[in-house]
Amino acid sequence: MRKVFIQTYGCQMNEYDTQQMLQVLATKGFERAESPDKAHLIVINSCSVREKSENKALSQLGRFAALKKQDPSKVLAFGGCVGQTEGSKLRSRYPFLDFVFGTNNYRDLPEMISEYENQWPSAEEEDVLLPRSRPEAQAQAFITITNGCDKFCSYCIVPFTRGREYSRTPEDILKEAAALTQKGVQEIMLLGQNVNSYWGKNKQGAFTSLYDLMVLFQEESEKSLKGLKRLRYTTSHPRDFDENLARAFSELPVLCEYLHLPFQSGSDSVLRKMRRFYTADTYLKKIEMVKRYRPDIALSTDIIVGFPGETRQDFEDTLRVIKEVEFDNIYAFKYSARPYTRSEAWVDDVSFDEKADRIQELIQFQRTFGAKKYKEDIGNMVEIMLEGPSKTNAEFWTGRTRKNRVVHLPTDAQFKVGELRYTKIFDATHSWLSGELIPSGIVPLQGARRSA
Ligand code: SAH
Ligand code: SF4
Ligand code: F3S
């Protein structure tokens, strides 16, 4: 059997693309290899959002090159966001690479690999393109609904790696969702770099917003999407987060009460230089609006620390927003100058050590609020989806609540990945909960929506 190994970096959109690659390669008889040394074809799906992300993929390339040296019949390919913008440079810099591709042409992989056909075991060609086997899909799946980004924040490479924003049709999305739910998927995450600006045109020519699309998901959850229990979406841009989207959290039972809304900085002058087109105040007003519709919503965010010109006062403005919102989780990044972006030309004047200190301070500061939010669940019965044994302690399994909180619970021989169960929460830290299982069949009266 022909085998492929794909090493994926970056965001969920890259993970989705990897699944799509596995599907197109399945039409050429490829199945997934457990490890790179067992693969005939090795692919890197790279990310370039920060310099560190790019370097990770490139050093992995070095390790795969060593494998190819031992067995020259292996075909080595480099794709994804770095491949998209740096394609030709990579080929000359790494001559051992067999081919390079980008985010917009991975569907042509079958043609790209055709010249290596005779190096591999023969395979029967199949022409099934729709979800036939999603090796990863169990109960959770991603669907990309928009690709690209037109926002051009001054620091961000994504508009260059992913190109102009494009929305898929609602028919296409629902068809993909139906194929997934028929295979047992119960939780779907709708993906896009800026999913709030989804604007899909249906067959009749009418436009569908993200809100309209989620209403369709809700309606269909009793029909063509039977079995769908949880819907999520990511990532949102505050500028396009409107009242309909806030109301959806109180209106659509299938939509999980969790929102990732990056604010990047709490300083208006930094936000202006970032070209984010909102202020700390307008961001806080949006948070207030969503809490009005859904007081128990769980929130998370992204922050960039040490943007060019960020002063101590700017950084403190960021801490002020953190204090006011009370997020569950924060993903904080040190500013990294990226090619093609406007800010690349600006002096990266916050030193590496200062960025590291600010990040540490921010993480420490956030802990109190994370712990406060997680502790709210103590004593509650919450619905969790079981995700598998804990990576750090085999005596525990992990599950995830609708609010995206991780729960650890003692391993039980009966556990199945993807099962929805109820647990009673008895302890919490700033980043996870401890629970005990409620026997299956018992559904707490208060229900999942109010407490999970
Ligand atoms: N489209 C999403 C996320 C884009 S990338 C959004 O707009 O929110 C994910 C996160 O990486 C961003 O939210 C930002 O916090 C971070 N990021 C992007 N470019 C960066 C850079 N040059 N340096 C450091 N962090 C960056
Ligand atoms: Fe990058 Fe801004 Fe687009 Fe997000 S919205 S992908 S940060 S340009
Ligand atoms: Fe990285 Fe590309 Fe996603 S740059 S964050 S993998 S869109």
Side-chain angles (χ1 to χ4, degrees):
M1 191 70 182
R2 296 172 172 192
K3 300 220 165 187
V4 55
F5 183 87
I6 308 186
Q7 178 80 43
T8 311
Y9 296 94
C11 63
Q12 290 103 332
M13 298 194 66
N14 261 17
E15 285 177 40
Y16 176 86
D17 291 349
T18 291
Q19 296 302 331
Q20 300 292 306
M21 288 180 211
L22 288 169
Q23 270 175 49
V24 287
L25 288 169
T27 67
K28 286 279 168 192
F30 275 90
E31 68 174 35
R32 206 168 188 175
E34 299 140 39
S35 59
D37 54 306
K38 297 203 173 70
H40 302 97
L41 170 64
I42 301 179
V43 180
I44 292 181
N45 189 6
S46 62
C47 168
S48 51
V49 77
R50 284 167 291 277
E51 195 182 354
K52 208 164 131 190
S53 340
E54 184 170 335
N55 289 344
K56 266 195 213 159
L58 294 174
S59 48
Q60 184 61 263
L61 180 60
R63 288 191 282 275
F64 288 153
L67 277 181
K68 186 176 161 81
K69 212 165 178 185
Q70 284 166 17
D71 174 4
S73 77
K74 285 194 193 309
V75 172
L76 193 48
F78 194 100
C81 288
V82 185
Q84 180 70 31
T85 55
E86 310 305 312
S88 50
K89 280 184 229 161
L90 290 171
R91 288 208 72 153
S92 46
R93 203 171 138 199
Y94 304 100
F96 56 82
L97 261 180
D98 292 292
F99 64 99
V100 177
F101 60 99
T103 53
N104 65 359
N105 65 339
Y106 65 76
R107 287 185 185 81
D108 303 330
L109 274 171
E111 285 92 84
M112 294 184 235
I113 60 172
S114 57
E115 65 177 286
Y116 311 101
E117 279 289 330
N118 53 7
Q119 282 173 232
W120 295 322
S122 62
E124 275 180 38
E125 299 219 351
E126 294 181 41
D127 54 12
V128 225
L129 258 180
L130 257 174
R132 180 184 63 104
S133 65
R134 283 190 165 245
E136 298 271 67
Q138 300 188 348
Q140 296 159 303
F142 297 134
I143 302 182
T144 290
I145 64 165
T146 71
N147 216 329
C149 182
D150 290 347
K151 287 280 190 284
F152 290 91
C153 301
S154 61
Y155 51 83
C156 184
I157 196 172
V158 169
F160 306 94
T161 64
R162 293 263 165 192
R164 296 292 56 73
E165 201 172 291
Y166 161 82
S167 294
R168 293 176 66 195
T169 67
E171 287 94 345
D172 251 16
I173 295 165
L174 286 163
K175 196 166 143 201
E176 188 166 337
L180 290 166
T181 50
Q182 272 157 31
K183 287 163 58 69
V185 165
Q186 300 177 79
E187 175 174 317
I188 291 180
M189 166 105 82
L190 305 176
L191 296 180
Q193 283 301 341
N194 178 16
V195 89
N196 296 167
S197 63
Y198 174 77
W199 198 234
K201 201 172 180 181
N202 72 11
K203 284 216 174 77
Q204 289 74 43
F207 282 98
T208 307
S209 66
L210 176 60
Y211 170 78
D212 302 333
L213 184 68
M214 292 196 297
V215 170
L216 290 173
F217 268 79
Q218 180 66 53
E219 287 167 5
E220 291 300 317
S221 67
E222 300 297 324
K223 300 179 222 157
S224 66
L225 305 183
K226 212 165 171 49
L228 178 71
K229 297 287 189 323
R230 294 174 167 196
L231 182 66
R232 304 181 190 275
Y233 60 86
T234 203
T235 297
S236 294
H237 191 295
R239 196 177 163 195
D240 301 323
F241 187 83
D242 61 14
E243 185 139 11
N244 272 342
L245 290 174
R247 201 174 57 247
F249 287 111
S250 69
E251 224 177 60
L252 308 177
V254 78
L255 179 64
C256 292
E257 50 278 23
Y258 166 73
L259 172 67
H260 180 66
L261 194 63
F263 77 93
Q264 313 297 0
S265 169
S267 149
D268 291 347
S269 73
V270 172
L271 285 170
R272 210 171 309 117
K273 281 187 253 169
M274 286 178 162
R275 290 173 45 86
R276 292 290 288 182
F277 302 104
Y278 54 83
T279 61
D281 254 19
T282 51
Y283 179 83
L284 290 169
K285 290 224 167 68
K286 300 235 166 167
I287 296 287
E288 228 178 85
M289 175 172 76
V290 73
K291 283 186 180 169
R292 222 170 28 243
Y293 284 106
R294 189 77 211 198
D296 65 339
I297 193 149
L299 298 157
S300 64
T301 199
D302 290 348
I303 293 171
I304 296 178
V305 169
F307 189 76
E310 185 189 75
T311 61
R312 177 73 210 173
Q313 184 55 51
D314 293 325
F315 175 66
E316 281 175 14
D317 290 344
T318 297
L319 298 182
R320 185 180 66 90
V321 173
I322 295 176
K323 186 170 171 204
E324 225 158 286
V325 177
E326 301 188 336
F327 294 101
D328 260 43
N329 285 304
I330 291 182
Y331 304 90
F333 308 102
K334 292 188 204 84
Y335 169 75
S336 156
R338 304 307 292 135
Y340 315 107
T341 63
R342 290 187 188 215
S343 69
E344 194 199 9
W346 305 344
V347 185
D348 188 0
D349 55 358
V350 181
S351 73
F352 185 87
D353 287 350
E354 184 60 37
K355 283 178 192 158
D357 286 351
R358 286 184 193 173
I359 284 238
Q360 258 336 94
E361 186 178 340
L362 188 154
I363 292 170
Q364 229 21 65
F365 188 73
Q366 160 60 17
R367 285 212 168 152
T368 331
F369 305 106
K372 181 175 170 202
K373 298 310 288 177
Y374 278 63
K375 282 189 193 333
E376 285 173 358
D377 272 340
I378 295 179
N380 284 345
M381 308 263 199
V382 303
E383 180 205 81
I384 55 166
M385 182 177 285
L386 292 171
E387 292 191 334
S390 150
K391 288 185 188 90
T392 48
N393 185 344
E395 285 173 30
F396 288 90
W397 264 52
T398 61
R400 201 171 286 269
T401 71
R402 288 173 54 97
K403 290 183 182 166
N404 212 31
R405 294 179 182 156
V406 171
V407 182
H408 291 196
L409 63 170
T411 297
D412 182 309
Q414 309 294 314
F415 280 171
K416 284 197 229 51
V417 173
E419 205 182 355
L420 285 169
R421 296 289 296 264
Y422 283 90
T423 64
K424 180 151 188 187
I425 303 301
F426 61 83
D427 203 1
T429 70
H430 64 274
S431 59
W432 49 275
L433 304 168
S434 299
E436 58 195 7
L437 206 64
I438 311 268
S440 56
I442 300 178
V443 177
L445 271 178
Q446 67 196 92
R449 291 210 65 221
R450 287 191 44 213
S451 59

